[in-house]
Amino acid sequence: MPLRLVATCALGLEEFLEAELRELGADKVRRRRAAVSFAGSWRDVLRANWRLRTANRVLVELADWDGATAETLAEGASRLVASGRSWDGLTAAELFDPRRTFAVRATAAASRIKDRRWVALKVKDGLVDAQRQRYGRRATVERKDPDLQLRVRLFKDRATLLLDTSGESLDHRGYRLASGAAPVREQLAAACVLATGWDGTGPVVDPMCGTGTLLAEAAYLALGWAPGRLRESWAFTGLPGFGRLPGFDVAAWETIRAEVLPVPGPEVRLFGVDREPTAISAATINLERAGLADRTTLELGDAHDFEPPPGPGLVLVNPAYGERLEEDADQWSRLGDLLKQRYGKGPGGPWRAAVLAGGADRGKHVGLKPRRRIPVWNGPLEARILVFDLY
Ligand SMILES: C[S@@+](CC[C@H](N)C(=O)[O-])C[C@H]1O[C@@H](n2cnc3c(N)ncnc32)[C@H](O)[C@@H]1O
């Protein structure tokens, strides 16, 4: 039986995640809210953790049951521990071995039980009660770095228990050593690049580059670098079954890491500009760590004074929010002028552009008609990816 898998993502990124999963050849791909479900093997779990640019985490669905009341929530969890179930060779007995520490996190929506901490508590109670019965002892709850990270999703009174195989969110690529004022999350940066449909050719410019995330994600795509290449740990290496199950061991992991991805832009060059010295030094550190220093030119200065290299290429911008709306309107119209005047007449084809604009209607003063306007959430903040073809 294939595993039922779920890759989670920020709200609004589902279409990109779905496309990524289809490209990986995943089966039964279905878009959900802030997630995409699919079916696969433990090997697919490894590949998804290594390759997905727009996902937060890769989860294995273990079971679902009626969670309308505290009792049924706990009973469902107990039944699972007592069961002879297995997930592509990983048995319930191995998974719920009381020597493993665990943590349960929950979400609750459209259900009678509204308090997600209560949901997590009841599922935890059900699990440890059944462990006491089955093994004569219970596992320890460990909030920080547990062996098993379990997630419960209660939706319309139905509880789904999921096992986290990623651990730290997949946006932790390993290159952001220096942070800045408002760095964009890596998955969202990758989505900005993917949204343009850029073919990997030509230079990439970010005239307000901050810590350099948009440049790094564009380069990763152009060079066929997997997003996991600098990351050091994933939760799956600590799961029972890793090293024992076929396709779920160090050898399979090494094979997946060695897979060659398409390299649409082997010659890609990156240009970043920022008016803040701290941003330029953060971008220098991060792009160096990403292994991109020799392709990158960073300049301290104003976006509006920067003379871009010959195009066509890709321009990516994530402007800061203005404090006041009038300030904002002016900033956006100046950005529109900048895009038109500096990037609008590349010989031989258009520059493509993605602007990540904070707020639902910010960006409407750009004065250019976007080809696409994609609502996304940047953490708790609503934002838009605006895609322009500048010709
Ligand atoms: C929201 S941050 C960009 C964050 C970036 N995407 C990252 O991941 O770190 C906006 C950046 O634009 C810079 N900025 C704002 N106006 C600028 C201008 N006119 N010229 C150059 N940089 C500017 C700010 O200094 C800030 O670093």
Side-chain angles (χ1 to χ4, degrees), residues 253-266:
W253 183 228
E254 291 303 328
T255 308
I256 284 163
R257 291 169 74 112
E259 285 170 357
V260 179
L261 277 57
V263 186

Side-chain angles (χ1 to χ4, degrees), residues 176 182-184 206-214 273-276 279 301-304 318-320:
R176 188 182 283 161
V184 58
D206 183 346
M208 302 186 187
C209 69
T211 60
T213 321
L214 287 157
V273 182
D274 204 290
R275 64 182 179 194
E276 292 295 334
D302 194 286
H304 299 271
N318 168 213

